[in-house]
Amino acid sequence: MARIRKGAAKPAPQFLEDDPSTGYLPGRPWPTVRYGLATLLASALLVFAIEWIVRGDFFGTVDFFLQPFKPGWTTIIVFALVMVGLDAVLGRSHQSLMIVAPLTLALAFVGHQKSRYLGDPLYPTDFLFARQIMALMPLLVRERPWTAVMLAAGLVGGLSLLVYGWRTWRRRVPILSRKGRLARLALAVPLLAFFVSIMDYATFSWTRDRLQIIPIMWDQKENYASNGFALAFAMNVPMAHVSAPPGYSEKSMAAIERPGIDASVPDEKPDIIVVMSESFWDPTKLPGVSIKPDPIPTVRGLRSGSMFSPEFGGMTANIEFEALTGFSNAFLPAGSIPYQQYVRTPTPSLATFLKSEGYRAHAIHPGTNWFWNRGAVYADFGFNDFRSEETLPPMEKRGPLASDAAMTDEIIREADASDDPVFLFAVSLQNHGPYEPYRYYNPTHSVDAPISSWARESLLSYAEGSADADHGLQRLIDWAKARQRPTIIAFFGDHLPPLGPVYVETGFLKDNVAPRKEPSADAALEHHDTPLVIWSNRSGPVENLGAVSPAFLPYHILTTAGITHPYYTGFLGALRERYRVVDRNLLLSPAGEATPDWARQKQIDPKINDFRLIQYDMMFGKRHSAPDFFPETVDKLVAHTS
């Protein structure tokens, strides 16, 4: 008889759970109750741990569970049912915990970090741009190397422990009998299916209402706080689908007033150059901060107004979406990213229109072409080409990223090389966060502020990058002044920078990020306004625009250029007379009159409803409005093949 080699793995037990030798007889009352109680206890501990991690507050988590009918208790039942069903699939009791626990705890940790640094909870759609997060890891590692080392060690240790536990469990726990597995499936599957059926937030559910699961989709921070991380995350899964606005039909589209404006361009077509400068803002607005010399003198001298960003500290693509299309994020699910989810077919934009009028439409970004899915999106927007890190010549760096000076060189080169009029959209990269201290070895500014040394050096890194962006604008202005061809330059910041602790230490914010729902219009303007310059080498800077949503940028650019269009100057022009800011939480009139929470009101301004209908029709609907509002798109749409 062959000897068993020392150290060889023990074979997994093949006896069933109803074998008397195991001591576990699920057909009898006590083992069945014991299994159920153990599953509920594991579920309760796991859900509590998830909420504690996400909230970062032990007592706040306790308060969440104190009331018996809070959604937290429903979440425990749901998790228990999931584990019961997975046990049946895996074939061993409680082995599901080794899948559910690591996955949900990891999601909770990521959710806490996102909320801390960007102010938003974790949404299911965030995983559509997980590649972007990985691309930013080198910057995060440089800023906090020891944190990165600890995370890497924890990840390796956790995976090793998980593999060891999985193998040990399968060797020591008996296989579930067929009857036991069927019983578990019979219990879990129908109840989970019923639960899924009541989670569509767009329809009313009596059961969901009795369980006090209230979808608060207009305020996602409150949604996650009230319903808990798991349920709120689940309710956001359907955001990938955008429902038609009430009353959407061919008849309702025909009823929208037509502007009576045709598409036209001047005989001498001006070049149009738009620069969206990464995180560009005026850092001297921070309380108690003095920066010498002034980091943004050019912008300060030419400023036309402010861009009211729908985001804070990130989500650049959402500002870009509005600025290029003239559509609004206000009509899309909170937390969605159109570039990732919705732009999948040719979509009207400034590039589409101007290209139809003989322009060459170019896009430039010194980052990778897949970031924010720009390669595919720009093709659908009608750009002739997109030059990115993959196709641009080697770019000189300032700090760790491609410099604004190098990008400005490319803008000038592209425009001068074209015989045709040019529409050029450029997105800078140099001043992307995080703003680690001593990013630049040769700073030309100094910061004086009663804050910690780390915060002061971080602010200096940001201010130095802002100054470089300002220098880039001045170079473009000087270049355009010497040109014969009419030239329009628009320059703006996409959002306030993610300065985190700098905001708290200076007293600008209570937390690292601004609240999604501001207490007043003034607070919203303070935390979302970035500088905006629109300038012409024929007439100088446009003045006194005030704060405007990015969706109105096409109107102001084309008006300055002497160009008309049924939608961009016609419809948006008429809407601009009523509103200058259209945000999901706020409408702001040209006179400064605010309408907060407008989307929750029973009666919505018909003009805003028309805005929403046109956007839905062109992005998701039957394009009934295309002949009258976007005639350049009719019978000319060819989907990209990337």
Side-chain angles (χ1 to χ4, degrees):
M1 186 175 183
R3 290 185 177 181
I4 298 176
R5 183 168 52 89
K6 186 177 181 181
K10 296 180 180 178
Q14 297 304 309
F15 49 84
L16 297 175
E17 64 175 353
D18 52 1
D19 187 330
S21 64
T22 66
Y24 179 60
L25 302 175
R28 298 178 181 176
W30 168 239
T32 302
V33 172
R34 183 176 62 187
Y35 172 80
L37 290 176
T39 303
L40 280 173
L41 178 60
S43 176
L45 292 174
L46 179 57
V47 172
F48 186 90
I50 290 168
E51 291 298 326
W52 188 5
I53 291 171
V54 171
R55 297 168 189 265
D57 179 2
F58 177 82
F59 294 104
T61 305
V62 172
D63 289 341
F64 177 68
F65 288 95
L66 280 181
Q67 298 185 34
F69 295 106
K70 275 286 186 181
W73 298 97
T74 302
T75 307
I76 291 172
I77 300 297
V78 171
F79 268 59
L81 290 172
V82 168
M83 288 192 286
V84 167
L86 273 178
D87 282 347
V89 173
L90 297 172
R92 284 176 170 82
S93 297
H94 306 303
Q95 192 161 27
S96 58
L97 193 61
M98 297 183 191
I99 294 177
V100 176
L103 178 62
T104 54
L105 291 174
L107 288 176
F109 175 76
V110 173
H112 175 74
Q113 295 302 309
K114 186 192 175 191
S115 180
R116 179 181 178 186
Y117 288 106
L118 293 180
D120 266 350
L122 184 71
Y123 303 118
T125 51
D126 288 335
F127 295 97
L128 293 173
F129 57 98
R131 192 177 176 189
Q132 280 90 299
I133 297 173
M134 296 306 298
L136 291 176
M137 287 304 293
L139 288 175
L140 298 174
V141 169
R142 273 196 296 270
E143 183 187 9
R144 297 184 177 180
W146 285 111
T147 301
V149 170
M150 292 173 63
L151 283 175
L155 181 62
V156 172
L159 288 175
S160 301
L161 186 62
L162 183 61
V163 171
Y164 174 78
W166 181 275
R167 295 182 63 184
T168 302
W169 196 261
R170 292 192 73 83
R171 285 200 303 264
R172 297 187 177 181
V173 176
I175 300 171
L176 296 178
S177 67
R178 180 176 297 179
K179 182 186 294 185
R181 297 175 75 171
L182 289 175
R184 286 168 173 81
L185 289 174
L187 172 69
V189 172
L191 290 176
L192 287 173
F194 172 73
F195 180 79
V196 169
S197 72
I198 68 171
M199 292 305 290
D200 180 6
Y201 63 81
T203 59
F204 176 77
S205 167
W206 183 90
T207 305
R208 189 182 66 214
D209 191 59
R210 298 287 80 76
L211 293 173
Q212 295 190 13
I213 302 172
I214 311 298
I216 311 174
M217 309 312 286
W218 58 90
D219 185 349
Q220 288 289 352
K221 291 190 76 171
E222 181 59 28
N223 189 30
Y224 277 69
S226 176
N227 293 307
F229 175 79
L231 292 187
F233 187 88
M235 282 189 285
N236 276 292
V237 170
M239 76 164 58
H241 172 72
V242 178
S243 300
Y248 171 70
S249 65
E250 184 176 5
K251 183 178 180 180
S252 65
M253 297 308 302
I256 297 175
E257 183 180 356
R258 268 49 180 173
I261 294 176
D262 295 325
S264 68
V265 295
D267 292 335
E268 189 178 16
K269 300 172 184 175
D271 282 350
I272 298 174
I273 296 170
V274 181
V275 178
M276 186 170 72
S277 185
E278 174 61 44
S279 298
F280 188 84
W281 180 62
D282 182 0
T284 65
K285 293 179 68 174
L286 291 168
V289 167
S290 173
I291 303 175
K292 300 283 181 69
D294 184 359
I296 59 168
T298 303
V299 169
R300 204 179 304 282
L302 299 176
R303 188 164 178 169
S304 303
S306 299
M307 186 69 80
F308 184 91
S309 176
E311 304 292 345
F312 182 94
M315 307 295 280
T316 296
N318 282 359
I319 297 87
E320 191 175 320
F321 165 75
E322 291 198 14
L324 283 172
T325 63
F327 295 149
S328 177
N329 290 285
F331 308 130
L332 299 173
S336 61
I337 304 100
Y339 274 25
Q340 298 288 353
Q341 298 157 265
Y342 308 132
V343 182
R344 290 291 182 267
T345 59
T347 303
S349 75
L350 276 178
T352 310
F353 164 56
L354 291 172
K355 190 168 72 171
S356 74
E357 295 292 341
Y359 277 75
R360 293 288 299 176
H362 303 283
I364 293 177
H365 174 58
T368 53
N369 65 1
W370 51 261
F371 206 93
W372 290 123
N373 200 32
R374 283 190 176 103
V377 169
Y378 286 162
D380 279 333
F381 279 177
F383 282 94
N384 291 97
D385 59 66
F386 169 36
R387 303 196 70 202
S388 61
E389 181 181 78
E390 293 82 359
T391 53
L392 286 166
M395 305 281 281
E396 178 187 3
K397 293 186 176 181
R398 174 109 157 93
L401 301 171
S403 71
D404 279 9
M407 189 187 76
T408 302
D409 289 340
E410 285 301 313
I411 293 173
I412 293 173
R413 193 196 64 76
E414 287 266 6
D416 283 344
S418 178
D419 294 329
D420 297 321
V422 169
F423 169 58
L424 201 153
F425 183 78
V427 182
S428 72
L429 182 62
Q430 177 188 324
N431 213 21
H432 201 292
Y435 308 101
E436 64 274 17
Y438 312 108
R439 172 186 274 204
Y440 305 106
Y441 71 91
N442 56 345
T444 58
H445 293 72
S446 63
V447 173
D448 183 23
I451 54 180
S452 68
S453 175
W454 185 95
R456 188 164 52 252
E457 292 298 335
S458 174
L459 179 56
L460 175 59
S461 292
Y462 173 74
E464 197 72 19
S466 296
D468 286 349
D470 190 82
H471 294 328
L473 175 61
Q474 184 62 60
R475 282 186 59 207
L476 286 176
I477 297 291
D478 294 340
W479 161 75
K481 284 179 178 178
R483 303 187 84 208
Q484 294 295 320
R485 180 180 289 177
T487 304
I488 310 296
I489 296 174
F491 177 97
F492 64 96
D494 51 354
H495 50 69
L496 267 68
L499 288 170
V502 174
Y503 291 132
V504 178
E505 291 190 33
T506 58
F508 184 75
L509 291 171
K510 292 182 179 179
D511 298 309
N512 286 344
V513 294
R516 262 292 173 188
K517 188 176 181 182
E518 298 280 4
S520 67
D522 288 340
L525 290 169
E526 183 177 26
H527 300 153
H528 291 267
D529 274 2
T530 65
L532 169 64
V533 173
I534 301 177
W535 178 90
S536 165
N537 65 351
R538 293 290 193 268
S539 56
V542 176
E543 298 178 340
N544 302 319
L545 292 183
V548 297
S549 286
F552 290 117
L553 185 65
Y555 163 72
H556 289 295
I557 289 175
L558 295 186
T559 301
T560 304
I563 298 174
T564 62
H565 182 268
Y567 178 78
Y568 293 119
T569 63
F571 179 83
L572 286 182
L575 186 65
R576 176 67 175 82
E577 294 177 1
R578 297 174 69 91
Y579 300 104
R580 55 190 174 98
V581 169
V582 177
D583 179 72
R584 70 175 68 255
N585 296 312
L586 175 71
L587 297 177
L588 200 62
S589 74
E593 299 173 354
T595 307
D597 296 329
W598 61 271
R600 299 176 62 188
Q601 297 177 4
K602 292 183 178 180
Q603 295 295 325
I604 296 175
D605 186 332
K607 288 293 184 183
I608 294 295
N609 194 52
D610 289 347
F611 190 12
R612 178 167 56 183
L613 285 169
I614 292 174
Q615 176 172 324
Y616 179 86
D617 183 53
M618 294 304 298
M619 289 187 68
F620 310 104
K622 302 294 185 181
R623 297 184 181 244
H624 301 302
S625 57
D628 293 320
F629 289 103
F630 300 96
E632 68 276 6
T633 68
V634 178
D635 298 327
K636 296 179 182 180
L637 297 176
V638 179
H640 68 80
T641 57
S642 59

